[in-house]
Amino acid sequence: MSPAPGPPAMREAPIALYIDADACPVKEEAYKVAFRHSLKVFVVANMPIAVPRHPLVERVTVPAGPDAADDFIAGRVIRGDVVVTTDVPLAARCVAAGADVIAPNGRPFTRDSIGMALATRNLMEDLRSAGAVTGGPKPFAARDRSAFLSALDLAVMRLKRAGFATGTPPQDG
């Protein structure tokens, strides 16, 4: 009989923020929160995208492929990290690793909600492949940006209260 699985791995490194960046509409908002809390940001995409020239921001360009960005992110996140994505399968992998996951509209993906999110995503995918017209997501609105900013700040504050460290602010000169 194998031992019961323990809690997800923890590390001593500071909280990191991973952005699934290919179609992320809240990168600027994420940078704002990251800079305020001195978080290392990994902006992951399968093509070079513009990122701020800042010591806390690292652009990661992965090879083209259906899950290359997802594999990069899911292979690195652990408890104490935060991921921004709309990709439900990626969110499920990151939640399983212990990371906090937030959609750009501010909706958190949690252990309690990820199963339903995956089931809904799979149902909609099946309906679309069968030719059903299901419509798309609601247009992104200003209230979504505001909800995202609040959710990200809350997630970081919760991690800090739980004892996870942030990076140290860059030193001038």
Side-chain angles (χ1 to χ4, degrees), residues 17-53:
L17 175 63
Y18 289 84
I19 301 173
D20 183 11
D22 286 325
C24 181
V26 290
K27 289 187 285 291
E28 293 302 320
E29 290 79 1
Y31 300 144
K32 189 180 301 185
V33 173
F35 296 160
R36 185 170 53 244
H37 292 285
S38 298
L39 304 180
K40 178 71 175 178
V41 181
F42 296 92
V43 183
V44 185
N46 61 11
M47 66 169 81
I49 60 172
V51 300
R53 289 181 183 249

Side-chain angles (χ1 to χ4, degrees), residues 62-73:
V62 297
D67 293 324
D70 297 0
D71 291 343
F72 179 89
I73 294 169

